[in-house]
Amino acid sequence: MKNISTLIFLFFLSLSTYAQNFTYGAVTHDDYQFDRKTLDSNANAIVLKEFGTASIQLDDNTHSLVLVFEHHVKMKIYNKEGFKEANIVIPMYKDDSREETISDLKASTFNLIDNNFVETVMERKAVFTENRSKYTRLTKFTLPNLKEGSVIEYSYILKSPNLFNFKTWEFQGDIPKVNSEYLVYIPGIYNYNVSLRGFQKLTDQKVELSKECLRLSGAAIDCSKITYLMKNIPAFIEEDNMTAPSNFKSAIYFELSDVQNLNGGKTSYTKTWKDIDHELSTDKSLGSQMKRKDLFKDLIPVITKGTTDELEKAKAVFNYIKKQIKWDNYYGKYSVDNIKKALETRSGNVADINLSLIAALSAADLDAEAVILSTRDNGTVNKLYPVMSDFNYLVAKVNIGDKSYLLDATEPLLPFGLLPLRCINDQGRVINLKKPSYWIDLKASMKSVTNYILSGKMTTDGKIVGTLTTHSMGYSAFNKRRDILRYTSPDEYVEKLDERLTRIKILEHQISNLDSVENMLTEKYEVEFTINDGSNQNQFYFSPFFINPVSKNPFNLNERTYPVDLGAGSDERITMNITLPAKYQLLEKPKDMAIALPNNGGRYLLQSKLEEDNISLSQIFQFNNAIYQPDEYLFLKEFYSRIIQNQKTEFLLKK
């Protein structure tokens, strides 16, 4: 094949072990006794061997080209925690006319009994299929007769009508792998863009010529035979604060660039953004819906009545759409039917709602555009060339003066200009009906802000009585509003909150701006809580870290090879002032701290003191960045460790 373009280096080393599938059922004592310490002493299971092959073949039944993918895995189970690795799930594509199928599925468990390997073959009835979504169904099975120390093995053949993405191969999974090998046969008439993602690198790669691997219309076609090999692969460990794991796992990806037709012509599948712009602007489910200003022409004067400038007008339109159409919890970049139907039924997917918003903003003579993007759990998009299947979401963009605002009307509890956290994922593509499309950064427009203020006094029987006021903005306010509105009333929310807070009793409450999402959410609670049992009034310990304490470090890896992505910066402040009932000495207290992350990435400040009969504490906990790179990981880990250690200390008060 000419021109397989690749982002990875090529090796032409000839290894005798290349492209050799291993014999099914040939379990050895070496397999059974494999020492996990060579890879990961904490592993509950390890893939000993994994082999896959993919080729394009002519289907005898349909006489059309299909992708044939064979997968073979042998795995060692070390303990009961590893049993879950014997639950196998194979995703398969389907639509109204085409589907992927599985054949030749076999699975066995091997146990060593009296120095002989005894095979337990999985029964056919153990395999079942589940429809996951409109386009995805899952084939599931569990290996039988599992024991600590078992070796399991399975293989299958998958036939797919989808040639565009060939077949992705994930070298890295959630358990370590000793050997993972992938062999592909790509006909010379097909040109794929090939890329290796992830931190781990290939052990070797080999490219050969396979003569006459495919015959079409009597013509023999040669193939590129490519072998990818990776050895001693660590498990990919998912931690909090990350986007889709597929962004970071080591894997080979294929995307079809063009096909050389047998008659001499060429069909290109890698389009330019100019091509995509034309397609989207004329698409009846996207561009045509953006143009439906007629649906709002008569409504706009009513919606925008009383507004004095373009920003107020845009907010009025935004609030109107939020109230008119309820989100059905489906993503999408295309309207399901059309926005007229969504308005009539008052329900729609993401695109129905935000295309309605764009049309309404345009009807109000505002400069509105569409932004297509990929959500955090869907992975990042390819920016070298447009791949429309990468995008799964659409939001609105309105330009007012020299400012632009990104809007998503699916979440009524979010303020104007703040996207849902699921949308904060690298960059999106702005689609304008009259101008060329362009990239835009997807960033949170404000920090997540929370301020806690406690003012109270200590009683002689060891209780603190006072007022706890909480102010929330940004995602903090959004999450709190969502929590409160899950209940039938704020009173019920507070009642359940009181039940959960074992040490704190809520006597009175007041919640302000619950429905005014543009304003700060304020919660005011009259509280009472016990700090000691009253048995010793002369001397007692008292921990001041009972408001949102930092008790667990979210960063526990020795090394993280992918970024820490918080989505947005944050600022949390706690202020306490407590009046004591008599003269007390402060014998011990948490150490005052002032620690910072490198490059002004964040800080933690803690100060406490006793003056006369008043004990006070001030705490500031800030993250200034939304994203921290892997080389900053150990600083974050140490940052949390020092805070947690300090918050284990208490006040020691003596009368």
Side-chain angles (χ1 to χ4, degrees), residues 454-459 461 463-467 507 526-529 577-579:
L454 175 66
S455 178
K457 63 180 181 178
M458 186 187 300
T459 64
D461 57 351
K463 293 181 179 178
I464 290 180
V465 179
T467 303
L507 306 175
E526 300 299 325
V527 296
E528 174 187 288
F529 56 97
N577 285 287
I578 299 169
T579 303

Side-chain angles (χ1 to χ4, degrees), residues 498-543:
D498 191 34
E499 291 174 5
R500 292 198 306 271
L501 299 173
T502 54
R503 291 180 57 199
I504 300 177
K505 184 178 180 181
I506 299 175
L507 306 175
E508 299 286 342
H509 70 272
Q510 179 184 345
I511 299 176
S512 306
N513 295 328
L514 182 59
D515 297 319
S516 303
V517 300
E518 300 295 329
N519 299 319
M520 179 185 292
L521 175 67
T522 299
E523 304 162 79
K524 191 173 183 180
Y525 300 105
E526 300 299 325
V527 296
E528 174 187 288
F529 56 97
T530 302
I531 60 169
N532 70 77
D533 59 10
S535 61
N536 186 352
Q537 292 295 324
N538 294 319
Q539 182 171 306
F540 57 88
Y541 281 98
F542 159 41
S543 174

